[in-house]
Amino acid sequence: MSKGKIAIIGIGEVPTRNMPERTHWDIIYDTCMEAIKDSGLHKNDIEGAISVTPQAQPKIAAELSFGKLPEELGLKGCKDAVSVNAGGASTSNAIRLAEQWITSGIAKAVLVHHVTVHSTIPIPDLINFFARAGVDLQWEYPYGTTYNIIMGLMANRYMHESDCKPEEMASVVTALRSWAAKDTNSFFYGKEVPSVEKVLASALLNTPLHKRESNVLGDGGSAMVIVSAEDAKKMKRPAAYKLGDSVRYFSGTCVMRDFYKVAEGFVVTAKEAMAQAGITKEDVSLWNCYLAYPLAHPLIAELLEVAPQGMGGKYFLEGRMSFGGDIPWSSIGDAPGRGHTGSGVSTACYVETARQLMGKAGERQVKNCKYVYQNAGGGSGFNNIATIWGKEI
Amino acid sequence: MEFDMTKPVPETQPWSEKFWEGTKQGKLLIQVCKDCKSKIFYPRKFCPECWSGNLDWIEASGKAKIFTFSTAYDMVEPKFTDELPYTIAYVDLEEGIRMMTRIIECKPEDIRIDMEVEVVFQERGGYFLPYFRPVGKK
Ligand SMILES: [Zn+2]
């Protein structure tokens, strides 16, 4: 049980862009310094540093896992440093490790951060990495599958079972991009929000996925400072308290993943996390879902009982999950809205969860934001982690 | 830009070699546990249900139904672009096994969920990959 032991008290982030001139360490300095300044702590108060391992970037991944960060930033009080890797579920695990360090007395304040620079990776390497990662090299890869195809397989089955229409699926992009257009850290900040017609008019990559329903890779990074809930309270600063955490493992190989078990996993993890937090779904102010692709959103909206069964797509099409709609949903626009920074999308989601609860989300601020549901998953969907965060304890 | 255009072959394990030998003879083999009677896919070193090492093989009928599929038109690895469009599917074998495969000998627009298909082996780099085609196609 993790109810109320830790809180995020500082956040930092850089805009997601393709900027090869902005190095990994540029981003690390900017995000980590901003998060520590935002927490009100001194740099030397940080006693632990946890890096979310950057994917497909072996040089920076090695530097971070070999402990360079505290030295580079001059974190003189740091007692330990580590990298954590569970793909898109890395940040959830970094936060859990921070909780362990804090509750066991190893560290009073822990820095968790992520950095990714996709724009300097040679394109053939990038394509090859994403073709093989999370795909079984014996039973899947030889058939020519890709992440997009894995998502297409899931979406086609869902559309078959639910009767969800292509325009409803496309409207998820419109919803996610409507949030992104208001988010200064998004790749699509200030950009036109594509209409359903425009999404469907984009090239068909693989059925039923259109080009505008896939992701754009970007560079980015974000960071957060975590302390005990008790210390956060004493500091009398805006904070996001972790109130619930539940997880289910599905499978490492895509084809081994039982669709119905995954669905059940989303249902039970949400229920367990909410039970730990002592809340019900009616109490949730923001459903900050991290699913990496738009096509899974209608199904998840139904599993979370935010939309009735068979109505997930319709809710998106009606604009209920869009910026200004009545159901605040994925307020950075998930990966399709933010720009895909590999494992960093989930770090950015947790930072956004904290930002909303701290009341620092500006134009995107969800009114009276008291509780946030935040999920994450690793690999091509090997697990689902559901967490609940609150403004107060 | 230099892309590796080598078509991938399955990265096998010692305990899956029998499966790939079977495909060379036109047989789709399923690993079975002699102790708990589980049918195992993909092949393992030990039974994932009971950890028995007492494993054997049976030949599948080769008949299956499409659980889901996705036809690729673009954005695949360069080594696969010459094969576009192609359809990846999950098929459920009569024996209760689900595999990833390709659906061939059928126009993409005619492929349907629940369509009945049968195995047909396609050679690549000395391996014979189990692909599936609509039942009754010659
Ligand atoms: Zn057994």
Side-chain angles (χ1 to χ4, degrees):
Chain A
M1 300 285 276
S2 63
K3 184 177 164 109
K5 290 188 182 147
I6 55 164
I8 299 170
I9 54 151
I11 53 174
E13 188 154 24
V14 294
T16 303
R17 303 280 186 270
N18 273 327
M19 289 171 63
E21 69 279 15
R22 188 175 65 176
T23 69
H24 288 101
W25 285 101
D26 269 333
I27 294 174
I28 292 171
Y29 270 103
D30 292 350
T31 53
C32 294
M33 286 174 70
E34 187 185 335
I36 294 168
K37 283 177 189 164
D38 188 47
S39 74
L41 295 175
H42 186 269
K43 71 175 177 66
N44 296 346
D45 294 329
I46 301 297
E47 295 184 334
I50 306 177
S51 301
V52 167
T53 304
Q55 301 287 342
Q57 299 151 86
K59 195 167 144 263
I60 187 69
E63 284 181 318
L64 291 170
S65 64
F66 282 59
K68 194 168 179 216
L69 183 123
E71 168 196 299
E72 180 82 29
L73 297 187
L75 307 178
K76 307 286 181 191
C78 193
K79 295 177 182 167
D80 207 358
V82 69
S83 288
V84 168
N85 194 359
S90 304
T91 310
S92 314
N93 285 290
I95 294 169
R96 288 170 175 163
L97 183 57
E99 180 174 328
Q100 198 277 334
W101 282 1
I102 290 165
T103 54
S104 67
I106 287 174
K108 279 176 84 68
V110 178
L111 176 71
V112 170
H113 82 104
H114 172 265
V115 58
T116 269
V117 178
H118 278 138
S119 60
T120 54
I121 305 174
I123 287 170
D125 293 358
L126 207 55
I127 290 174
N128 189 254
F129 177 83
F130 282 108
R132 293 164 67 95
V135 166
D136 190 275
L137 298 178
Q138 183 168 200
W139 306 104
E140 298 178 329
Y141 183 54
Y143 294 105
T145 194
T146 62
Y147 265 89
N148 285 345
I149 292 171
I150 299 298
M151 197 45 59
L153 290 164
M154 196 214 78
N156 262 345
R157 182 72 199 187
Y158 168 69
M159 291 171 82
H160 172 77
E161 288 186 9
S162 71
D163 222 20
C164 185
K165 303 280 183 292
E167 51 276 19
E168 293 173 357
M169 284 297 207
S171 72
V172 179
V173 178
T174 307
L176 297 176
R177 288 280 299 274
S178 72
W179 289 100
K182 309 281 182 194
D183 178 3
T184 50
N185 288 318
S186 166
F187 205 91
F188 298 104
Y189 172 62
K191 300 250 168 79
E192 181 204 342
V193 177
S195 64
V196 168
E197 294 71 32
K198 206 163 180 182
V199 173
L200 291 177
S202 63
L204 188 62
L205 299 182
N206 57 272
T207 53
L209 187 92
H210 298 82
K211 196 167 184 188
R212 285 181 183 272
E213 290 169 314
S214 71
N215 286 304
V216 177
L217 293 179
D219 308 343
S222 54
M224 61 191 110
V225 173
I226 300 175
V227 296
S228 72
E230 213 178 302
D231 285 347
K233 249 182 129 176
K234 277 189 218 150
M235 289 165 80
K236 293 192 173 27
R237 299 175 72 88
Y241 293 85
K242 187 180 175 189
L243 303 178
D245 184 341
S246 172
V247 60
R248 287 295 183 281
Y249 171 82
F250 305 132
S251 76
T253 305
C254 306
V255 70
M256 301 301 291
R257 208 159 298 147
D258 182 321
F259 282 36
Y260 305 106
K261 244 179 124 173
V262 172
E264 192 193 319
F266 270 86
V267 172
V268 298
T269 52
K271 290 203 165 136
E272 288 177 2
M274 283 190 249
Q276 282 175 31
I279 65 162
T280 64
K281 71 181 172 69
E282 284 72 27
D283 297 316
V284 173
S285 323
L286 165 64
W287 299 91
N288 201 12
C289 291
Y290 163 59
L291 302 165
Y293 276 84
L295 298 185
H297 282 254
L299 170 63
I300 304 308
E302 292 172 23
L303 295 173
L304 296 174
E305 296 176 20
V306 171
Q309 215 182 335
M311 297 284 281
K314 203 162 176 281
Y315 269 38
F316 277 96
L317 189 61
E318 288 170 352
R320 299 188 65 177
M321 277 80 161
S322 296
F323 175 78
D326 65 323
I327 304 172
W329 183 277
S330 295
S331 52
I332 63 166
D334 194 359
R338 172 47 75 89
H340 208 304
T341 53
S343 298
V345 180
S346 73
T347 322
C349 284
Y350 280 102
V351 165
E352 170 69 1
T353 286
R355 184 186 289 120
Q356 288 282 355
L357 289 166
M358 292 165 156
K360 297 177 180 174
E363 211 182 339
R364 286 175 301 105
Q365 182 63 48
V366 171
K367 279 197 193 102
N368 305 318
C369 191
K370 275 183 82 177
Y371 297 103
V372 179
Y373 166 91
Q374 168 73 66
N375 83 302
S380 54
F382 78 78
N383 64 352
N384 184 60
I385 296 169
T387 58
I388 299 291
W389 296 77
K391 192 185 177 69
E392 285 160 6
I393 196 158
Chain B
M1 229 172 289
E2 286 230 357
F3 288 96
D4 174 10
M5 299 299 276
T6 321
K7 303 261 185 189
V9 295
E11 292 190 15
T12 64
Q13 296 288 343
W15 46 89
S16 65
E17 275 164 13
K18 260 245 154 59
F19 176 92
W20 296 108
E21 278 167 29
T23 63
K24 282 183 192 164
Q25 295 150 27
K27 290 179 182 170
L28 185 62
L29 296 181
I30 298 172
Q31 197 183 34
V32 289
C33 173
K34 285 168 132 176
D35 287 330
C36 77
K37 314 292 176 207
S38 293
K39 295 190 180 80
I40 304 164
F41 186 82
Y42 47 91
R44 311 293 216 284
K45 185 173 182 181
F46 292 99
C47 170
E49 302 299 325
C50 72
W51 276 12
S52 166
N54 195 10
L55 304 175
D56 202 359
W57 300 85
I58 57 163
E59 187 178 348
S61 71
K63 300 272 194 296
K65 256 188 184 179
I66 296 178
F67 175 76
T68 187
F69 67 95
S70 180
T71 302
Y73 294 93
D74 200 356
M75 291 269 279
V76 297
E77 266 197 288
K79 64 184 73 170
F80 285 112
T81 48
D82 63 319
E83 298 177 31
L84 287 171
Y86 59 82
T87 301
I88 302 272
Y90 290 166
V91 296
D92 289 332
L93 303 190
E94 283 184 340
E95 291 78 8
I97 299 295
R98 182 172 295 164
M99 303 179 61
M100 182 182 277
T101 186
R102 282 234 201 140
I103 305 298
I104 56 166
E105 297 181 37
C106 184
K107 280 193 235 154
E109 55 273 28
D110 293 338
I111 298 172
R112 297 278 178 273
I113 284 174
D114 289 337
M115 186 184 242
E116 293 190 7
V117 289
E118 63 189 11
V119 73
V120 49
F121 296 94
Q122 293 253 328
E123 198 265 342
R124 182 193 297 155
Y127 284 85
F128 288 76
L129 296 172
Y131 283 17
F132 284 76
R133 66 181 176 196
V135 165
K137 270 260 175 177
K138 281 278 136 56

